[in-house]
Amino acid sequence: MRIEQLQAFLAVYDTGSFQGAAQKLQVTQSTVSRQVQGLETELGLPLLHRGPKNKLTVAGEQLLPRVKKILFEWQEATQELVDLRLGKQPELCVAAIHSVCAHYLPPVLQQFCHQYPEVQLRVTSLGSDRSLKVLRDGLVDLAIVMDNAYLTKSSELVVDQLYDEAILVLMAANHPLAQYEIVPWAELTRFPQVVFKDGYGMQRLVQSQFQRQGLELKAVLELNTLDAFRGVIRQGEMISLLPHGALVEAQTDSTLAIRQFAQPESQMTDQDALMRQVVMVTTQDRLLIPPIANFRRLVCDSFQSQKAKQINSVLPLS
């Protein structure tokens, strides 16, 4: 059963003749006849009484409302796809890590909303693993995450490298480690640490670095919001290794201190420095939709211009 067969059947009913149906569909009369006959053959029942008025048979009467419903749904579906191709989508959904949502995305969001006022923009702050999962599940259109080659290695994915950022140490202003300008690695093992919850890329990054050194990471608390990190750390001896972008508010907080830490002597190369890479991920098919493609361009342009001014700048150590 094909759409053309259903359209021919309905056109004959609407016009009362094969000739009228041919004119309505802008095809030949023989084409209409062939489409209706093919439908009848497939169903095993006649649908029309051939004659001056081509009335419906009992089978035709029963089929008619179904045909109308199917063709209505088909018309709606094809129009929605046309609108999608033209950029008339109802919403665009983005998942991004917390620091990107808080500090780097707002200018892009303003630009996009100005360019596409009819598109509802939805942004959700999630960890990297969760962001990539909802992208794979089709719940968001783009994800801005800490890179994970294992999760982003797929031919259907498009991955844009946005920036690299250093990992720093956050501590209370009166913490013993605040005496250092650059904290030795061995000193990091002396104090309990606050880490991101399981499933966050930062937790894996920090854990793997301690394992490479053969050192114990004293992870005593898992959190998933930057406010919670700052609130806990300012209270006592806990410290945390956090990316540059997560420490923007901490720069102006007199109760907190930010320090760099020394790379172990066995890992003094740039390749071994503890950094994280932030990428934007979407799928090939989504980039055929103008608003999504444009959002991607806005993000890439924005991060390119911010890179020298913000992302790679050195935080003041307070």
Side-chain angles (χ1 to χ4, degrees):
M1 186 181 299
R2 301 192 308 275
I3 290 295
E4 295 85 353
Q5 293 175 323
L6 302 181
Q7 291 171 332
F9 167 71
L10 184 60
V12 173
Y13 168 78
D14 287 340
T15 63
S17 70
F18 283 83
Q19 183 179 1
Q23 293 175 349
K24 181 177 181 179
L25 297 175
Q26 296 184 331
V27 296
T28 64
Q29 185 172 334
S30 61
T31 297
V32 174
S33 179
R34 186 168 59 253
Q35 296 284 13
V36 173
Q37 287 176 358
L39 182 59
E40 291 175 323
T41 300
E42 187 171 341
L43 296 174
L45 289 169
L47 301 174
L48 296 163
H49 292 293
R50 268 65 170 178
K53 295 185 178 181
N54 293 295
K55 292 183 178 181
L56 297 178
T57 64
V58 173
E61 291 282 1
Q62 188 165 336
L63 183 65
L64 180 63
R66 300 285 187 180
V67 169
K68 289 182 178 179
K69 183 176 181 179
I70 291 170
L71 292 179
F72 175 79
E73 291 292 335
W74 176 253
Q75 183 178 9
E76 289 284 297
T78 54
Q79 185 59 53
E80 287 175 2
L81 292 178
V82 168
D83 291 344
L84 190 64
R85 190 173 66 248
L86 295 175
K88 299 177 182 179
Q89 65 182 102
E91 65 180 20
L92 189 151
C93 300
V94 181
I97 52 180
H98 302 282
S99 56
V100 168
C101 285
H103 308 297
Y104 303 133
L105 268 189
V108 175
L109 304 182
Q110 292 281 353
Q111 286 180 276
F112 182 86
C113 290
H114 179 73
Q115 293 178 9
Y116 292 90
E118 73 284 358
V119 178
Q120 178 69 54
L121 185 58
R122 302 184 185 279
V123 181
T124 304
S125 180
L126 295 172
S128 296
D129 291 1
R130 181 63 179 168
S131 294
L132 290 172
K133 183 181 186 306
V134 295
L135 175 67
R136 290 194 303 269
D137 292 343
L139 300 178
V140 300
D141 299 301
L142 303 104
I144 302 177
V145 299
M146 175 178 159
D147 193 20
N148 183 333
Y150 177 76
L151 296 178
T152 58
K153 189 176 181 180
S154 171
S155 59
E156 70 177 288
L157 296 180
V158 177
V159 181
D160 295 298
Q161 296 183 2
L162 299 179
Y163 62 92
D164 295 335
E165 61 181 349
I167 308 301
L168 302 167
V169 189
L170 180 66
M171 64 193 74
N174 59 356
H175 195 281
L177 293 182
Q179 65 179 303
Y180 295 100
E181 291 187 8
I182 299 179
V183 181
W185 250 103
E187 291 294 305
L188 297 177
T189 64
R190 294 178 49 209
F191 297 94
Q193 294 203 26
V194 186
V195 298
F196 275 97
K197 295 177 67 174
D198 187 32
Y200 281 69
M202 269 304 302
Q203 188 196 86
R204 288 195 304 274
L205 181 64
V206 172
Q207 286 177 336
S208 66
Q209 188 70 3
F210 273 79
Q211 289 171 358
R212 290 177 65 187
Q213 309 310 317
L215 300 174
E216 179 186 1
L217 171 65
K218 297 178 181 177
V220 297
L221 181 61
E222 293 185 356
L223 298 173
N224 66 346
T225 69
L226 301 180
D227 286 341
F229 272 86
R230 292 192 298 272
V232 168
I233 289 173
R234 68 166 58 95
Q235 300 300 319
E237 66 173 359
M238 294 184 188
I239 63 173
S240 184
L241 272 60
L242 293 172
H244 179 289
L247 297 172
V248 175
E249 281 87 355
Q251 295 181 63
T252 56
D253 190 329
S254 61
T255 67
L256 296 170
I258 301 166
R259 296 291 184 267
Q260 298 174 350
F261 55 86
Q263 297 297 323
E265 292 183 3
S266 61
Q267 296 184 13
M268 294 298 290
T269 67
D270 291 340
Q271 182 177 359
D272 291 323
L274 188 55
M275 306 280 290
R276 80 164 178 179
Q277 185 175 77
V278 176
V279 299
M280 178 169 54
V281 187
T282 187
T283 56
Q284 297 278 359
D285 61 304
R286 285 184 170 88
L287 291 180
L288 299 175
I289 302 170
I292 298 175
N294 194 46
F295 187 89
R296 176 201 182 202
R297 181 187 62 78
L298 290 174
V299 170
C300 290
D301 290 349
S302 176
F303 277 101
Q304 190 67 30
S305 63
Q306 289 186 55
K307 191 175 294 185
K309 294 184 294 183
Q310 283 183 295
I311 298 172
N312 287 337
S313 64
V314 177
L315 285 172
L317 303 181
S318 55

